[in-house]
């Protein structure tokens, strides 16, 4: 069964943490859902690397998980936290928003898992400097995602989820797969057979964005080098004149 899934470019071990991170928002306990999402999101890079027979240095994992944080985002975080708490507390009234957010996050984390797997296979995370650009390309591609073929699949998965807290806790403690996870795995494996072309497009977008970042870095390095040479030349003393020449 496992070999068949790998032949179809689907490996449950690559996507299990992504799936649980996306579904964590459905946990009916305020802030506990955020905690489980945080745990599974940060497990993804190292778990996917392990599946590829590799290990990522802690600093590279931190780069990938850090994301893009702005000063404005830091200032607004307390307000966002209050809003999240209110939304989770009144999820009965705002349940349709919860389902929509779970669908979006589930699709996002599936994309993230696919790209992390690709990045590791390509060796983009093998070195600190290259990993920084790769992480930047990853975040840019994810930020530009819109509705995709994964959105409909995510909607179907979210609609059938039950007891997500119990499922997540069992997986964290003992790597036990319950009925909900088994059903989700089968549902995803079936859909992945028709998504290879789409994933190829996402992978190409990542490669193009990474190439652009490498070119920009090279151009920036050349400009800095030229500037330093010009500065050094302007500061060099003028040639001395030999009195005998007069």
């Amino acid at each position: 069964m496992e070999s068949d899934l790998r032949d179809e470019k689907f490996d449950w071990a690559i996507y299990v943490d992504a799936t649980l991170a996306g579904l964590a928002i459905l946990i009916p306990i305020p802030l506990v859902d955020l905690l489980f999402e945080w745990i599974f999101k940060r497990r993804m890079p190292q778990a996917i690397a392990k599946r590829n027979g590799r290990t990522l240095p802690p600093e590279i994992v931190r780069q990938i998980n850090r994301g893009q944080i702005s000063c404005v985002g830091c200032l607004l975080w307390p307000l966002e936290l209050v809003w999240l708490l209110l939304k989770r507390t009144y999820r009965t009234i705002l349940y349709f928003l919860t389902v929509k957010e779970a669908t979006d996050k589930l699709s996002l984390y599936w994309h993230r898992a696919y790209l992390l797997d690709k990045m590791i296979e390509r060796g983009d995370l093998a070195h600190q400097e290259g990993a920084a650009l790769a992480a930047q390309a990853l975040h840019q591609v994810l930020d530009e995602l819109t509705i995709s073929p994964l959105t409909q699949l995510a909607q179907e998965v979210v609609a059938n989820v039950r007891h997500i807290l119990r499922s997540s806790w069992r997986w964290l403690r003992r790597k036990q797969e319950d009925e909900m996870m088994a059903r989700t795995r089968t549902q995803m494996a079936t859909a992945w057979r028709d998504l290879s072309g789409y994933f190829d497009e996402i992978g190409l977008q990542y490669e193009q964005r990474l190439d652009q970042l490498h070119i920009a870095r090279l151009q920036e390095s050349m400009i800095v080098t030229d500037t330093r040479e010009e500065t050094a030349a302007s500061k060099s003393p003028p040639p001395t004149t030999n009195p005998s020449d007069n």
Side-chain angles (χ1 to χ4, degrees), residues 22-38:
L23 295 176
I25 191 176
L26 299 176
I27 295 175
I29 304 175
L31 300 186
V32 173
D33 52 354
L34 293 177
L35 173 62
F36 274 80
E37 180 186 355
W38 180 85

Side-chain angles (χ1 to χ4, degrees), residues 76-90:
L76 295 179
W77 169 241
L79 296 177
E80 185 177 354
L81 183 61
V82 172
W83 163 243
L84 288 172
L85 180 59
L86 290 174
K87 188 166 64 172
R88 301 303 194 271
T89 302
Y90 295 98

Side-chain angles (χ1 to χ4, degrees), residues 79-106:
L79 296 177
E80 185 177 354
L81 183 61
V82 172
W83 163 243
L84 288 172
L85 180 59
L86 290 174
K87 188 166 64 172
R88 301 303 194 271
T89 302
Y90 295 98
R91 68 172 58 243
T92 301
I93 301 175
L94 302 175
Y95 185 72
F96 69 97
L97 290 179
T98 303
V99 171
K100 174 64 167 58
E101 188 173 354
T103 299
D104 293 341
K105 286 196 172 185
L106 184 55

